[in-house]
mmCIF file of all heavy atoms in Angstrom:
data_model
loop_
_atom_site.group_PDB
_atom_site.id
_atom_site.type_symbol
_atom_site.label_atom_id
_atom_site.label_comp_id
_atom_site.label_asym_id
_atom_site.label_seq_id
_atom_site.Cartn_x
_atom_site.Cartn_y
_atom_site.Cartn_z
ATOM 1 N N HIS A 33 165.720 158.898 31.915
ATOM 2 C CA HIS A 33 166.565 157.907 32.584
ATOM 3 C C HIS A 33 165.923 157.438 33.879
ATOM 4 O O HIS A 33 165.910 156.246 34.187
ATOM 5 C CB HIS A 33 167.929 158.544 32.863
ATOM 6 C CG HIS A 33 168.861 157.607 33.590
ATOM 7 N ND1 HIS A 33 169.396 156.480 32.994
ATOM 8 C CD2 HIS A 33 169.351 157.654 34.849
ATOM 9 C CE1 HIS A 33 170.169 155.862 33.865
ATOM 10 N NE2 HIS A 33 170.160 156.559 35.016
ATOM 11 N N TYR A 34 165.315 158.359 34.626
ATOM 12 C CA TYR A 34 164.679 157.991 35.902
ATOM 13 C C TYR A 34 163.500 157.055 35.666
ATOM 14 O O TYR A 34 163.346 156.044 36.336
ATOM 15 C CB TYR A 34 164.212 159.262 36.611
ATOM 16 C CG TYR A 34 163.426 158.991 37.847
ATOM 17 C CD1 TYR A 34 164.066 158.699 39.037
ATOM 18 C CD2 TYR A 34 162.026 159.004 37.799
ATOM 19 C CE1 TYR A 34 163.342 158.431 40.181
ATOM 20 C CE2 TYR A 34 161.304 158.739 38.940
ATOM 21 C CZ TYR A 34 161.958 158.460 40.119
ATOM 22 O OH TYR A 34 161.238 158.208 41.248
ATOM 23 N N ASN A 35 162.675 157.344 34.669
ATOM 24 C CA ASN A 35 161.504 156.489 34.409
ATOM 25 C C ASN A 35 161.914 155.114 33.958
ATOM 26 O O ASN A 35 161.273 154.122 34.275
ATOM 27 C CB ASN A 35 160.607 157.144 33.354
ATOM 28 C CG ASN A 35 159.947 158.416 33.878
ATOM 29 O OD1 ASN A 35 159.787 158.541 35.082
ATOM 30 N ND2 ASN A 35 159.600 159.328 32.969
ATOM 31 N N ARG A 36 162.984 155.027 33.168
ATOM 32 C CA ARG A 36 163.410 153.721 32.685
ATOM 33 C C ARG A 36 163.924 152.876 33.834
ATOM 34 O O ARG A 36 163.646 151.692 33.908
ATOM 35 C CB ARG A 36 164.498 153.921 31.620
ATOM 36 C CG ARG A 36 164.953 152.586 30.994
ATOM 37 C CD ARG A 36 165.797 152.813 29.732
ATOM 38 N NE ARG A 36 166.945 153.664 29.990
ATOM 39 C CZ ARG A 36 167.069 154.910 29.567
ATOM 40 N NH1 ARG A 36 166.093 155.480 28.853
ATOM 41 N NH2 ARG A 36 168.158 155.639 29.827
ATOM 42 N N ILE A 37 164.648 153.461 34.761
ATOM 43 C CA ILE A 37 165.149 152.698 35.915
ATOM 44 C C ILE A 37 164.003 152.248 36.792
ATOM 45 O O ILE A 37 163.947 151.116 37.257
ATOM 46 C CB ILE A 37 166.160 153.547 36.704
ATOM 47 C CG1 ILE A 37 167.408 153.811 35.877
ATOM 48 C CG2 ILE A 37 166.549 152.859 38.011
ATOM 49 C CD1 ILE A 37 168.385 154.749 36.532
ATOM 50 N N TYR A 38 162.997 153.118 37.010
ATOM 51 C CA TYR A 38 161.871 152.784 37.898
ATOM 52 C C TYR A 38 161.030 151.661 37.317
ATOM 53 O O TYR A 38 160.596 150.751 38.013
ATOM 54 C CB TYR A 38 161.005 154.022 38.116
ATOM 55 C CG TYR A 38 159.828 153.767 39.001
ATOM 56 C CD1 TYR A 38 159.979 153.767 40.378
ATOM 57 C CD2 TYR A 38 158.574 153.499 38.436
ATOM 58 C CE1 TYR A 38 158.913 153.519 41.187
ATOM 59 C CE2 TYR A 38 157.513 153.253 39.251
ATOM 60 C CZ TYR A 38 157.655 153.261 40.623
ATOM 61 O OH TYR A 38 156.590 153.029 41.423
ATOM 62 N N SER A 39 160.863 151.634 36.013
ATOM 63 C CA SER A 39 160.020 150.595 35.397
ATOM 64 C C SER A 39 160.711 149.268 35.346
ATOM 65 O O SER A 39 160.068 148.233 35.311
ATOM 66 C CB SER A 39 159.599 151.037 33.987
ATOM 67 O OG SER A 39 160.756 151.202 33.182
ATOM 68 N N GLN A 40 162.036 149.243 35.348
ATOM 69 C CA GLN A 40 162.734 147.979 35.247
ATOM 70 C C GLN A 40 162.994 147.380 36.620
ATOM 71 O O GLN A 40 162.835 146.176 36.804
ATOM 72 C CB GLN A 40 164.069 148.200 34.519
ATOM 73 C CG GLN A 40 163.887 148.530 33.040
ATOM 74 C CD GLN A 40 165.224 148.778 32.356
ATOM 75 O OE1 GLN A 40 166.257 148.708 33.003
ATOM 76 N NE2 GLN A 40 165.193 149.075 31.044
ATOM 77 N N THR A 41 163.400 148.139 37.567
ATOM 78 C CA THR A 41 163.754 147.600 38.892
ATOM 79 C C THR A 41 163.045 148.435 39.940
ATOM 80 O O THR A 41 163.628 149.368 40.494
ATOM 81 C CB THR A 41 165.277 147.635 39.099
ATOM 82 O OG1 THR A 41 165.701 148.984 38.954
ATOM 83 C CG2 THR A 41 165.994 146.734 38.127
ATOM 84 N N PRO A 42 161.798 148.109 40.228
ATOM 85 C CA PRO A 42 161.090 148.896 41.262
ATOM 86 C C PRO A 42 161.734 148.722 42.618
ATOM 87 O O PRO A 42 162.116 147.625 42.988
ATOM 88 C CB PRO A 42 159.672 148.303 41.238
ATOM 89 C CG PRO A 42 159.815 146.933 40.666
ATOM 90 C CD PRO A 42 160.957 147.021 39.697
ATOM 91 N N ALA A 43 161.807 149.845 43.301
ATOM 92 C CA ALA A 43 162.441 149.822 44.622
ATOM 93 C C ALA A 43 161.479 149.237 45.632
ATOM 94 O O ALA A 43 160.308 149.590 45.652
ATOM 95 C CB ALA A 43 162.834 151.257 45.026
ATOM 96 N N THR A 44 161.967 148.312 46.427
ATOM 97 C CA THR A 44 161.158 147.678 47.483
ATOM 98 C C THR A 44 161.931 147.700 48.769
ATOM 99 O O THR A 44 163.156 147.761 48.762
ATOM 100 C CB THR A 44 160.796 146.229 47.125
ATOM 101 O OG1 THR A 44 161.999 145.480 47.001
ATOM 102 C CG2 THR A 44 160.000 146.151 45.832
ATOM 103 N N THR A 45 161.205 147.594 49.850
ATOM 104 C CA THR A 45 161.836 147.424 51.152
ATOM 105 C C THR A 45 161.665 145.990 51.579
ATOM 106 O O THR A 45 160.726 145.308 51.145
ATOM 107 C CB THR A 45 161.185 148.356 52.176
ATOM 108 O OG1 THR A 45 159.816 148.039 52.254
ATOM 109 C CG2 THR A 45 161.359 149.821 51.806
ATOM 110 N N ALA A 46 162.561 145.522 52.421
ATOM 111 C CA ALA A 46 162.521 144.111 52.846
ATOM 112 C C ALA A 46 161.198 143.821 53.526
ATOM 113 O O ALA A 46 160.864 144.415 54.527
ATOM 114 C CB ALA A 46 163.688 143.841 53.793
ATOM 115 N N GLY A 47 160.479 142.868 52.920
ATOM 116 C CA GLY A 47 159.199 142.461 53.514
ATOM 117 C C GLY A 47 158.087 143.432 53.232
ATOM 118 O O GLY A 47 156.985 143.245 53.721
ATOM 119 N N GLY A 48 158.267 144.485 52.444
ATOM 120 C CA GLY A 48 157.252 145.499 52.209
ATOM 121 C C GLY A 48 156.614 145.323 50.858
ATOM 122 O O GLY A 48 157.113 144.607 49.993
ATOM 123 N N PRO A 49 155.495 145.980 50.607
ATOM 124 C CA PRO A 49 154.799 145.829 49.327
ATOM 125 C C PRO A 49 155.470 146.623 48.234
ATOM 126 O O PRO A 49 156.173 147.588 48.466
ATOM 127 C CB PRO A 49 153.409 146.393 49.638
ATOM 128 C CG PRO A 49 153.661 147.399 50.712
ATOM 129 C CD PRO A 49 154.799 146.881 51.499
ATOM 130 N N VAL A 50 155.216 146.165 47.023
ATOM 131 C CA VAL A 50 155.695 146.900 45.851
ATOM 132 C C VAL A 50 154.796 148.090 45.661
ATOM 133 O O VAL A 50 153.566 147.913 45.585
ATOM 134 C CB VAL A 50 155.678 146.005 44.597
ATOM 135 C CG1 VAL A 50 156.124 146.804 43.390
ATOM 136 C CG2 VAL A 50 156.580 144.803 44.816
ATOM 137 N N PRO A 51 155.343 149.295 45.644
ATOM 138 C CA PRO A 51 154.475 150.475 45.536
ATOM 139 C C PRO A 51 153.623 150.425 44.291
ATOM 140 O O PRO A 51 154.090 150.102 43.209
ATOM 141 C CB PRO A 51 155.477 151.647 45.486
ATOM 142 C CG PRO A 51 156.712 151.113 46.109
ATOM 143 C CD PRO A 51 156.762 149.674 45.761
ATOM 144 N N GLY A 52 152.330 150.704 44.461
ATOM 145 C CA GLY A 52 151.414 150.779 43.331
ATOM 146 C C GLY A 52 150.902 149.473 42.845
ATOM 147 O O GLY A 52 150.140 149.436 41.882
ATOM 148 N N THR A 53 151.305 148.313 43.428
ATOM 149 C CA THR A 53 150.866 147.001 42.910
ATOM 150 C C THR A 53 150.049 146.230 43.902
ATOM 151 O O THR A 53 149.279 145.361 43.526
ATOM 152 C CB THR A 53 152.079 146.152 42.510
ATOM 153 O OG1 THR A 53 152.846 145.895 43.681
ATOM 154 C CG2 THR A 53 152.926 146.856 41.470
ATOM 155 N N GLY A 54 150.179 146.430 45.237
ATOM 156 C CA GLY A 54 149.482 145.630 46.247
ATOM 157 C C GLY A 54 150.010 144.235 46.367
ATOM 158 O O GLY A 54 149.389 143.357 46.924
ATOM 159 N N PHE A 55 151.236 143.991 45.782
ATOM 160 C CA PHE A 55 151.815 142.644 45.779
ATOM 161 C C PHE A 55 152.917 142.575 46.824
ATOM 162 O O PHE A 55 153.736 143.474 46.919
ATOM 163 C CB PHE A 55 152.364 142.342 44.392
ATOM 164 C CG PHE A 55 153.136 141.038 44.322
ATOM 165 C CD1 PHE A 55 152.468 139.828 44.459
ATOM 166 C CD2 PHE A 55 154.516 141.016 44.140
ATOM 167 C CE1 PHE A 55 153.139 138.644 44.401
ATOM 168 C CE2 PHE A 55 155.181 139.813 44.082
ATOM 169 C CZ PHE A 55 154.512 138.624 44.211
ATOM 170 N N ASN A 56 152.896 141.474 47.644
ATOM 171 C CA ASN A 56 153.910 141.270 48.680
ATOM 172 C C ASN A 56 154.795 140.106 48.275
ATOM 173 O O ASN A 56 154.464 138.953 48.528
ATOM 174 C CB ASN A 56 153.269 140.971 50.038
ATOM 175 C CG ASN A 56 152.462 142.156 50.534
ATOM 176 O OD1 ASN A 56 152.824 143.291 50.273
ATOM 177 N ND2 ASN A 56 151.379 141.863 51.239
ATOM 178 N N PRO A 57 155.874 140.337 47.667
ATOM 179 C CA PRO A 57 156.748 139.219 47.241
ATOM 180 C C PRO A 57 157.437 138.623 48.433
ATOM 181 O O PRO A 57 157.708 139.301 49.416
ATOM 182 C CB PRO A 57 157.740 139.896 46.283
ATOM 183 C CG PRO A 57 157.806 141.305 46.773
ATOM 184 C CD PRO A 57 156.437 141.662 47.264
ATOM 185 N N PRO A 58 157.671 137.328 48.437
ATOM 186 C CA PRO A 58 158.423 136.694 49.528
ATOM 187 C C PRO A 58 159.852 137.175 49.533
ATOM 188 O O PRO A 58 160.469 137.356 48.484
ATOM 189 C CB PRO A 58 158.312 135.197 49.233
ATOM 190 C CG PRO A 58 158.092 135.107 47.771
ATOM 191 C CD PRO A 58 157.297 136.326 47.383
ATOM 192 N N VAL A 59 160.348 137.398 50.696
ATOM 193 C CA VAL A 59 161.731 137.879 50.828
ATOM 194 C C VAL A 59 162.571 136.764 51.418
ATOM 195 O O VAL A 59 162.313 136.332 52.546
ATOM 196 C CB VAL A 59 161.784 139.132 51.740
ATOM 197 C CG1 VAL A 59 163.214 139.613 51.887
ATOM 198 C CG2 VAL A 59 160.910 140.227 51.171
#
Side-chain angles (χ1 to χ4, degrees):
H33 178 69
Y34 174 81
N35 292 335
R36 183 167 56 252
I37 294 174
Y38 180 81
S39 62
Q40 291 179 359
T41 58
T44 62
T45 60
V50 178
T53 64
F55 173 69
N56 296 327
V59 179

